[in-house]
Amino acid sequence: MKLGLEEMLQLLQEVEQGDPLDFADLPMDEERLRRLVLSDLLQRDEQLQASASAEECQLIYLLSTAHLVLENLLLHLQLLRLEQPEGSADAQWQALLSRFRRGDGEA
């Protein structure tokens, strides 16, 4: 299924209803940023689809997602360390780890 930019923006909006992003007070237009990111991803997807098999695409997308989730987790933990007094972020860190462990067989 090939979706265009407008359809992807609409789907992204639906995803964000369940898991909203916090743009805080950053000096940027949220809609413009979404368009920029999705346009770039659609262009990369088109290039990838032209040069890789479906299995290779799936692997690349899975690895890219894992990288982004890990990067997001690390940034979140760094923010916790900056915002919380020393040692008090431990409970939040453990809660995050528990959330990720639920699906990997560890506990």
Side-chain angles (χ1 to χ4, degrees):
M1 171 170 44
K2 187 84 168 159
L3 298 176
L5 179 60
E6 296 304 319
E7 293 91 358
M8 293 291 287
L9 283 166
Q10 190 172 17
L11 290 171
L12 182 58
Q13 190 175 41
E14 290 176 23
V15 168
E16 286 186 40
Q17 286 177 357
D19 189 12
L21 297 173
D22 182 9
F23 286 86
D25 58 353
L26 296 174
M28 61 188 65
D29 180 282
E30 295 174 24
E31 183 67 21
R32 186 172 181 206
L33 188 57
R34 285 182 186 95
R35 284 181 176 278
L36 177 68
V37 168
L38 279 174
S39 293
D40 182 65
L41 287 172
L42 288 170
Q43 181 181 8
R44 289 173 187 245
D45 179 61
E46 190 174 304
Q47 292 170 348
L48 183 61
Q49 297 286 337
S51 64
S53 71
E55 293 83 15
E56 291 170 324
C57 289
Q58 184 177 10
L59 178 60
I60 290 167
Y61 291 138
L62 182 61
L63 291 171
S64 297
T65 301
H67 179 82
L68 290 170
V69 169
L70 181 57
E71 181 178 44
N72 185 277
L73 177 63
L74 292 173
L75 289 171
H76 184 75
L77 293 173
Q78 289 172 358
L79 286 173
L80 282 176
R81 289 173 73 192
L82 291 174
E83 294 172 355
Q84 305 291 325
E86 191 172 330
S88 67
D90 287 345
Q92 291 176 334
W93 161 244
Q94 292 303 323
L96 277 171
L97 284 179
S98 294
R99 182 176 148 210
F100 282 99
R101 284 186 182 134
R102 278 186 245 151
D104 68 9
E106 292 182 30

